[in-house]
Amino acid sequence: MLISYPKLSLSFCSFCAVDFEVERKTPADPAMDFSPCHFRCPISMELMKEPVTISTGVTYERKNIEKWFFTYKKKTCPATMQSIENFGIIPNHTLKRLIVSWQSNEDSKSSCSSPSSSQSQPCHSAKHDEIQALLSTIVSSPFKVNSIKKLRSIIEIDDEMKDDFIQSNGVEVLVQILDQTIMESSDFVTFRACEEALCVLQQLPISEEGKTFELLSKQESTRSMAIMLQRGSAEARLHTVTIFRKMAKTEYDWSFIVQDQGIDFFKSLLELVSDEICSKASSCALEVLIEILRASKKNRLRAIEAGAVCVLIELLQDSNRSKCERMLHLIKLLCECAEGRQALVEHGMGIVAITKKMLHVSNAATKIGVKIIWLVCNFHPTERVLEEMLMYGSVKKLLALLHMDGRSSTKDKVLKIFKMHGNSWKRYPCFPYDLKDYLGFVNDSS
């Protein structure tokens, strides 16, 4: 059904032509004639100096929309002609910063084009103007996805454009889209825009002193990213965990997101760790988990509650060297809690999985494996656990470590293990006879 508004459009045009005639007589800056359309007030079509947004979501110059509402007593949106009941106006600070940034760039280009610098290279590339225009469109239009995709294609191949994007307040624009996800998570259009925004943000450098970190580490932003980690597409989840990995390399405090999202946050990370298709997502999730678990015992307890010990044990068997070392590191952190040790020994393959990686993967894996066994032997030495260690080869591998030359913290832990439980193992019929004498020697020397 086609709808036309001939009378309403005429009223609006008349208002623009007559009521703003005085302003338009003032000579304008020639550069303003080429300003992006979304930087212009829909009423006067001039560059906005004090942009404000009304209830319909359209942005106007403050003095123009106030005159429309309060001087001429209009009760419609000038651009859409929708009826309005709420006449409140909200300053659009983001758009104002974009306009100021664009004006600064225009001034720079003007100085570069002066005779004294006619031989020099252009101060800004055409890509800068395109970034400014795209950011303006993203702020002003409800249809943001295509513009964000174009932004992505511009900055992903050029570090200079990344810096330009940050300086143009681009991070702030995209973070505002993330924040909308909390309030409008059921809105598919907003959700897709958020996914695309994460794709751009994950390409940016994140340092503790930088503006990107400051904006992304705010509670609203981290909550939005946690939601995306749970509900987003595979690509969006990869981008989100990539951002979290960069944040993990800073001194970011994870306590808010852990408390806010609870075990669902850990379940999302563990799902990514289990991802056999996207190894990058799995690797990033492991690094994020290590930093979170290092931070506090409370975080470890939440991860244990989410089933982290079981997941890691089951993935350990088929993991490559790099992942194996990081998974063992996580299990060691979890086993520093009584609940983690309990989960390990109650898992049918817990002792077996750790034992198989000792003296098989790397020195680092062996060192961590011994630490896990030592924690279990020291704090959870039940008869069943000691029997499993003997049956599944843990004791044999620990004895092999004693034959290594030199002294180390790992070897010291092995000696302590045998000092605590060596006599118990010697009583088992399956204990190798030739090792009994050696074990007696170890106990005597220790």
Side-chain angles (χ1 to χ4, degrees):
M1 180 177 178
L2 297 176
I3 302 175
S4 59
Y5 301 100
K7 293 183 180 179
L8 293 175
S9 298
L10 179 61
S11 172
F12 175 51
C13 292
S14 301
F15 170 74
C16 294
V18 176
D19 295 312
F20 290 88
E21 184 177 1
V22 175
E23 287 88 339
R24 289 189 174 184
K25 287 181 180 179
T26 305
D29 184 343
M32 298 303 103
D33 294 338
F34 302 99
S35 60
C37 61
H38 294 295
F39 287 176
R40 302 179 190 178
C41 174
I43 295 175
S44 65
M45 295 309 294
E46 294 181 346
L47 191 69
M48 289 183 278
K49 296 179 180 178
E50 195 173 356
V52 294
T53 303
I54 65 172
S55 59
T56 59
V58 182
T59 300
Y60 300 93
E61 174 64 36
R62 177 184 287 274
K63 65 178 182 180
N64 296 344
I65 194 63
E66 286 181 344
K67 185 180 289 186
W68 175 267
F69 285 153
F70 307 124
T71 302
Y72 296 98
K73 308 298 181 182
K74 303 289 186 178
K75 297 182 179 181
T76 56
C77 171
T80 65
M81 301 313 294
Q82 291 176 259
S83 295
I84 292 177
E85 295 181 0
N86 179 5
F87 295 93
I89 54 178
I90 301 172
N92 192 331
H93 298 299
T94 301
L95 184 57
K96 184 173 181 178
R97 280 190 283 271
L98 290 173
I99 293 171
V100 171
S101 177
W102 177 82
Q103 286 177 309
S104 299
N105 178 54
E106 290 299 306
D107 291 342
S108 299
K109 287 199 292 187
S110 298
S111 64
C112 287
S113 61
S114 62
S116 59
S117 59
S118 58
Q119 302 300 318
S120 63
Q121 294 293 326
C123 293
H124 294 276
S125 68
K127 293 294 182 184
H128 174 86
D129 294 336
E130 190 173 357
I131 287 174
Q132 293 282 349
L134 288 170
L135 288 173
S136 172
T137 303
I138 292 167
V139 170
S140 305
S141 171
F143 307 107
K144 307 176 187 296
V145 172
N146 286 337
S147 296
I148 300 174
K149 284 182 176 180
K150 290 178 182 177
L151 264 180
R152 172 183 177 180
S153 65
I154 293 172
I155 72 170
E156 66 184 355
I157 58 173
D158 192 337
D159 289 340
E160 186 178 342
M161 288 298 101
K162 290 183 177 70
D163 294 337
D164 199 333
F165 170 79
I166 294 170
Q167 292 169 8
S168 300
N169 298 309
V171 177
E172 186 173 7
V173 171
L174 297 189
V175 165
Q176 285 187 350
I177 295 173
L178 295 188
D179 295 348
Q180 291 174 14
T181 309
I182 302 172
M183 303 302 297
E184 306 171 33
S185 56
S186 60
D187 185 337
F188 178 74
V189 175
T190 301
F191 203 76
R192 279 289 300 118
C194 182
E195 289 187 324
E196 290 299 330
L198 287 167
C199 184
V200 175
L201 291 168
Q202 62 93 22
Q203 299 182 49
L204 305 177
I206 298 178
S207 63
E208 201 166 352
E209 300 79 20
K211 186 176 183 181
T212 305
F213 173 79
E214 178 188 347
L215 292 168
L216 288 175
S217 60
K218 289 182 177 179
Q219 292 183 358
E220 295 81 3
S221 302
T222 54
R223 182 182 287 126
S224 298
M225 289 190 285
I227 291 172
M228 194 58 63
L229 201 63
Q230 297 169 36
R231 308 177 192 170
S233 64
E235 187 180 23
R237 295 170 76 197
L238 169 61
H239 298 327
T240 304
V241 79
T242 301
I243 293 172
F244 279 144
R245 183 192 63 177
K246 292 181 179 181
M247 292 173 65
K249 294 180 179 179
T250 68
E251 295 297 321
Y252 176 68
D253 183 1
W254 295 94
S255 57
F256 167 76
I257 193 170
V258 171
Q259 183 176 356
D260 184 63
Q261 297 295 313
I263 64 172
D264 289 339
F265 179 59
F266 288 103
K267 286 181 177 178
S268 300
L269 289 172
L270 290 168
E271 284 180 12
L272 289 176
V273 170
S274 306
D275 192 335
E276 298 178 355
I277 298 175
C278 183
S279 59
K280 183 178 178 183
S282 177
S283 180
C284 287
L286 283 170
E287 291 184 36
V288 172
L289 278 169
I290 288 172
E291 294 304 320
I292 294 175
L293 298 190
R294 275 177 178 167
S296 74
K297 180 181 178 180
K298 187 180 292 185
N299 294 350
R300 294 170 209 164
L301 292 174
R302 288 293 182 91
I304 293 166
E305 189 181 354
V309 175
C310 293
V311 171
L312 293 168
I313 289 171
E314 290 166 11
L315 293 173
L316 194 59
Q317 183 176 353
D318 298 322
S319 60
N320 58 32
R321 173 177 172 172
S322 175
K323 283 189 177 181
C324 175
E325 290 174 354
R326 284 179 284 180
M327 287 180 186
L328 285 170
H329 191 177
L330 284 170
I331 295 172
K332 185 209 76 169
L333 288 169
L334 295 170
C335 284
E336 289 174 0
C337 301
E339 293 83 354
R341 295 189 292 272
Q342 184 73 30
L344 177 73
V345 298
E346 287 182 352
H347 192 290
M349 295 296 292
I351 298 297
V352 183
I354 303 301
T355 300
K356 283 186 175 181
K357 297 304 176 181
M358 291 165 54
L359 296 174
H360 181 69
V361 177
S362 65
N363 290 335
T366 298
K367 183 176 180 179
I368 301 170
V370 169
K371 180 66 182 292
I372 296 168
I373 296 295
W374 180 81
L375 286 167
V376 172
C377 287
N378 198 27
F379 298 103
H380 205 97
T382 64
E383 185 176 349
R384 184 177 71 83
V385 169
L386 295 175
E387 185 176 341
E388 283 186 0
M389 290 179 65
L390 185 60
M391 292 173 57
Y392 297 139
S394 307
V395 176
K396 190 173 183 179
K397 286 195 174 183
L398 291 172
L399 282 168
L401 285 166
L402 290 177
H403 286 87
M404 296 174 64
D405 294 332
R407 185 167 181 176
S408 65
S409 60
T410 300
K411 196 169 182 179
D412 288 342
K413 285 185 177 65
V414 174
L415 285 168
K416 289 177 182 177
I417 291 171
F418 280 117
K419 187 174 182 179
M420 288 186 288
H421 307 296
N423 290 329
S424 298
W425 285 322
K426 283 197 298 182
R427 291 197 296 266
Y428 284 92
C430 61
F431 190 86
Y433 182 80
D434 58 331
L435 293 178
K436 287 184 179 180
D437 293 337
Y438 182 75
L439 189 53
F441 170 75
V442 168
N443 285 334
D444 293 339
S445 61
S446 60

